[in-house]
Amino acid sequence: MVAAGFLATFTLFGVVYSFGAFFRPIALQFGANRSATSAIFSITSCVSFLLGPFTGHLADRFGPRRITAFGAATIGIGLAATSTINHLWVAYITYGLGVGIAIACCYVPLIAAVSGWFLKRRNTALGIAASGIGVGTLVTAPVAAELIRRLGWREAYVTLAVIATLLLLVCAWLIEPPPIELDAPEFSVRRIIRTRPFRLMYGSCMLWTVATSIPFVFLPAYAQGVGIKAVAAAALVGFIGFASTAGRIGLGPLADRFGLIATYRFALLVLGLCFGLWLYGKSYGMLVAFALVMGASYGGAVALTPAVVAELFGTRGLGVILGTLYTGCAIGTLLGPPFCGALIDHTGSYRLAILFTMAVTVASYLILRPLEQREAQKYD
């Protein structure tokens, strides 16, 4: 089950987080500004998060295998269709819906399944499964940049379409629905979303998701703007992926020792503050440092989120609970990149965009200050 979760996150987020490598060639092809081009990424993420409650419910009811297989088909069709577009706005449909639906069909159902299969070592299991995001980013971003250099961005997307479809079909073959919690309390998603802990988590996730999207869209282009070559610039996204793997695996044991809620909040605080490294990063070394710190903190936060939700509300109906929570992430990813792109286009500088990202992420930490471990125990 952990292997299936790892392979799915490796594939899905390796594809979507390699968008930074495609950003510049697509913008040049269609003469588009940063805001319009970044909207492709934002729509993709928004679709994936908005559909989470529905795919989570379907997976809870019918099992994750069928839903994952459907996601495998949609990512292949979406990427292949994107390779043929003649207008930028068409990518909003082909890439946004194709890849977005695939993430919704695979990520929430598989992560919920992994959560349901583990009890004592759930944090560690989720960390390993979610570390596929980091490894996928580490591998796919520079590979995509090299494919673009050799074949062009259209043929690169065709190549990714074939590989991603095959890998997700393997995930569908591996995954099994988890056993049901026989002693779990009666499940009511309406009751849960009205609770104070859920509202705090929802607001926090909505804000810190901005920080997880901005570097993947704009960091490679920023690096090229200060004189760094394209493949090296794309490799910065790979460094984020590399560090996020360590964060996902390493923060699980730390959460067991120091407390899940406290560790989760700490990851968000570091995530917000580390954008200061990008703000003053003019050299490749500084940008690498930012990528490593950002990756470790972001990876830990992403991996711990399902564990926090499972501890707060249990694992029964976890797919639909996570899916509902991730609709807040949809707002952050939908608004963040286009807004920051507009700031960059208007000011001719990345400074205000980076400061904005830092501010909203620190705010996501502050929102969770009232959430204490004793509140989590209330819902065990």
Side-chain angles (χ1 to χ4, degrees):
M1 299 307 106
V2 173
F6 177 91
L7 187 59
T9 55
F10 173 93
T11 305
L12 294 166
F13 294 94
V15 170
V16 74
Y17 286 154
S18 68
F19 180 75
F22 291 88
F23 183 90
R24 192 179 182 90
I26 289 177
L28 291 174
Q29 170 92 52
F30 297 105
N33 59 28
R34 293 177 179 86
S35 182
T37 307
S38 66
I40 299 173
F41 182 93
S42 294
I43 292 170
T44 303
S45 299
C46 182
V47 168
S48 69
F49 288 129
L50 284 179
L51 293 180
F54 303 102
T55 58
H57 171 72
L58 291 173
D60 289 338
R61 183 173 181 181
F62 300 110
R65 177 168 294 167
R66 296 177 183 177
I67 312 304
T68 303
F70 182 77
T74 60
I75 198 170
I77 294 171
L79 291 175
T82 302
S83 71
T84 67
I85 64 171
N86 293 316
H87 302 281
L88 182 68
W89 65 267
V90 180
Y92 298 161
I93 301 172
T94 58
Y95 192 98
L97 290 181
V99 179
I101 292 173
I103 296 173
C105 288
C106 300
Y107 178 68
V108 170
L110 267 72
I111 290 298
V114 172
S115 299
W117 276 103
F118 289 85
L119 181 62
K120 292 182 179 180
R121 299 184 180 180
R122 180 181 293 143
N123 294 341
T124 302
L126 284 170
I128 295 172
S131 68
I133 300 176
V135 179
T137 306
L138 172 66
V139 173
T140 310
V143 168
E146 185 63 20
L147 286 173
I148 294 168
R149 187 184 71 83
R150 291 175 176 269
L151 305 175
W153 69 268
R154 295 181 185 273
E155 288 76 10
Y157 268 146
V158 173
T159 303
L160 290 181
V162 174
I163 296 172
T165 300
L166 293 176
L167 292 179
L168 289 178
L169 286 175
V170 172
C171 296
W173 175 69
L174 287 173
I175 198 66
E176 295 284 352
I180 299 173
E181 282 188 293
L182 297 179
D183 58 345
E186 184 179 354
F187 171 72
S188 171
V189 69
R190 291 185 178 181
R191 177 186 65 83
I192 288 172
I193 64 177
R194 291 173 182 171
T195 61
R196 180 171 178 263
F198 186 88
R199 293 196 301 268
L200 294 174
M201 286 290 294
Y202 192 92
S204 178
C205 286
M206 180 177 65
L207 292 176
W208 70 259
T209 306
V210 173
T212 66
S213 57
I214 298 303
F216 290 110
V217 176
F218 295 111
L219 185 59
Y222 172 88
Q224 291 183 61
V226 296
I228 297 169
K229 293 183 178 179
V231 175
L236 290 169
V237 176
F239 284 121
I240 295 176
F242 170 77
S244 74
T245 302
R248 294 173 209 280
I249 297 175
L251 262 67
L254 287 178
D256 293 334
R257 181 173 181 180
F258 297 106
L260 180 58
I261 304 298
T263 305
Y264 183 67
R265 284 197 306 238
F266 175 74
L268 296 183
L269 179 61
V270 174
L271 177 61
L273 296 178
C274 77
F275 277 81
L277 294 172
W278 186 6
L279 186 64
Y280 297 103
K282 302 300 181 183
S283 67
Y284 193 65
M286 283 287 287
L287 294 178
V288 169
F290 162 71
L292 293 175
V293 179
M294 184 264 174
S297 54
Y298 135 78
V302 171
L304 291 179
T305 298
V308 172
V309 174
E311 181 164 339
L312 287 169
F313 309 112
T315 59
R316 187 175 181 183
L318 185 59
V320 69
I321 299 171
L322 278 175
T324 304
L325 178 68
Y326 288 152
T327 61
C329 300
I331 299 172
T333 55
L334 179 64
L335 300 180
F339 180 75
C340 288
L343 281 178
I344 297 166
D345 289 333
H346 181 71
T347 64
S349 169
Y350 285 79
R351 184 177 181 83
L352 282 180
I354 297 171
L355 287 171
F356 166 77
T357 305
M358 179 186 295
V360 296
T361 310
V362 172
S364 75
Y365 159 79
L366 295 174
I367 285 176
L368 286 186
R369 289 288 295 170
L371 185 64
E372 299 293 343
Q373 194 73 23
R374 62 176 178 271
E375 293 196 64
Q377 295 169 358
K378 181 179 177 182
Y379 293 91
D380 281 347

